Amino acid sequence: MNFMMRCREVTQHISKAHDGELRGWKRLAILMHLAFCRACRAFARDTKHLQARMREPGGPGDSDLSPQARQRLLDAAGRDEESDD
């Protein structure tokens, strides 16, 4: 088992890591990668900041999106998840 993840893998899982959805070796692998990779640390910091802003009352939320834009985002997210398998 390879515990060192590549940047692409880390960025694909960073939101799950922020939300506490990752456990075990994946979480450890991400933390190890972040310890050595400045670019991924910056990405993780920025992602965490964006997630916090999206959760703020009165902040930008999906209620600001048109139904068409919301559906496009949902479709794109579904395609991304399918490509991870």
Side-chain angles (χ1 to χ4, degrees):
M1 185 177 302
N2 184 4
F3 282 99
M4 286 305 292
M5 296 179 97
R6 296 184 189 281
C7 293
R8 182 174 182 200
E9 294 172 284
V10 171
T11 57
Q12 289 174 342
H13 295 292
I14 204 73
S15 290
K16 291 178 185 176
H18 287 319
D19 292 337
E21 295 176 17
L22 292 180
R23 301 275 185 255
W25 74 267
K26 261 192 184 175
R27 184 174 187 279
L28 178 62
I30 288 173
L31 291 173
M32 287 175 51
H33 183 95
L34 293 176
F36 293 99
C37 183
R38 183 184 313 192
C40 286
R41 276 195 312 272
F43 180 82
R45 181 189 63 239
D46 293 345
T47 303
K48 189 169 193 161
H49 174 75
L50 287 172
Q51 284 180 325
R53 291 273 308 162
M54 294 298 288
R55 291 182 178 124
E56 287 179 2
D62 61 4
S63 62
D64 298 332
L65 297 175
S66 70
Q68 296 84 5
R70 179 172 169 70
Q71 188 59 50
R72 283 195 306 269
L73 288 171
L74 290 171
D75 292 344
R79 282 193 301 274
D80 288 345
E81 288 177 7
E82 290 170 6
S83 67
D84 288 346
D85 294 336

